[in-house]
Amino acid sequence: VYLYRAYDDDDDIPDCWANISCEELSNWNRGDAPFADSRNYNVGAAPGTDWDGDDYMVIRHWFQLPADLDFNGGIINHAFENYVLTYINGHKLFNERGGGSHGAQYWNSDGHQTIPKEWFNLGGPNLVAARGRDTGSGGQNRQWLDLEVSLDIGEEKTTHEVTVQILPTYDFVL
């Protein structure tokens, strides 16, 4: 489950939206990914949370990894159509400023980014935060937003949705 909030104007988004500590976010909504307009999605996955009429969507998800986890690093995949900016634990991971015309891809091939092992807080809280923007092309929200994080734990890679507790395999999907 994500904490999220939709905004009409970029100026209304709190400056601390990607920081681990941000008291301004204490009363956000809870919802499931993907975030998309239920009237106009075309990526093969029905929206978990409706994103209708607002230009910006900010999502945050917390997870924890065991302190003694042995892994090589992580990978994040993005599902988006236009604009997305993503952070993990305050580190900027990805910034697509638009114009990529990603069409109806779900996991965008250019939305794949490695995450250095040092950016994870083992035994403590981890935060993945993303800000998506709809361009309003044709007066309709055509944006969707979903994230998937997986860990490289050696020869074996599996995924597990972060929307539930992390299982002993230590792999997850946002």
Side-chain angles (χ1 to χ4, degrees):
V1 174
Y2 287 84
L3 293 176
Y4 76 93
R5 169 114 344 139
Y7 295 92
D8 287 323
D9 192 323
D10 188 35
D11 294 333
D12 295 335
I13 299 172
D15 292 336
C16 62
W17 68 270
N19 297 343
I20 287 178
S21 60
C22 186
E23 292 181 18
E24 297 176 49
L25 310 179
S26 61
N27 61 349
W28 278 27
N29 301 313
R30 294 180 184 276
D32 295 322
F35 294 83
D37 187 337
S38 62
R39 298 167 300 143
N40 189 32
Y41 66 93
N42 60 354
V43 294
T49 302
D50 195 29
W51 174 6
D52 179 25
D54 294 299
D55 292 334
Y56 295 89
M57 176 67 73
V58 178
I59 62 175
R60 292 166 53 96
H61 185 79
W62 293 93
F63 63 97
Q64 189 161 343
L65 300 173
D68 61 349
L69 179 63
D70 183 21
F71 71 110
N72 300 321
I75 298 168
I76 189 165
N77 288 311
H78 297 80
F80 65 97
E81 184 179 25
N82 294 310
Y83 299 83
V84 66
L85 174 61
T86 308
Y87 287 81
I88 186 165
N89 297 328
H91 300 279
K92 185 193 269 185
L93 275 173
F94 188 78
N95 188 10
E96 167 61 64
R97 300 176 64 85
S101 298
H102 301 289
Q105 296 172 325
Y106 197 84
W107 297 116
N108 301 89
S109 58
D110 59 344
H112 178 86
Q113 184 72 37
T114 59
I115 307 169
K117 178 180 181 175
E118 299 77 27
W119 288 9
F120 289 95
N121 296 322
L122 296 182
N126 289 273
L127 172 67
V128 174
R131 181 179 74 189
R133 177 178 172 218
D134 174 46
T135 61
S137 175
Q140 293 181 338
N141 184 347
R142 298 181 186 272
Q143 176 68 298
W144 62 88
L145 184 57
D146 197 356
L147 305 172
E148 174 186 71
V149 173
S150 58
L151 296 180
D152 176 357
I153 57 172
E155 294 179 19
E156 178 182 313
K157 284 187 184 179
T158 58
T159 57
H160 170 75
E161 283 202 23
V162 172
T163 55
V164 297
Q165 292 181 342
I166 296 172
L167 297 175
T169 59
Y170 304 122
D171 297 318
F172 53 90
V173 175
L174 293 177

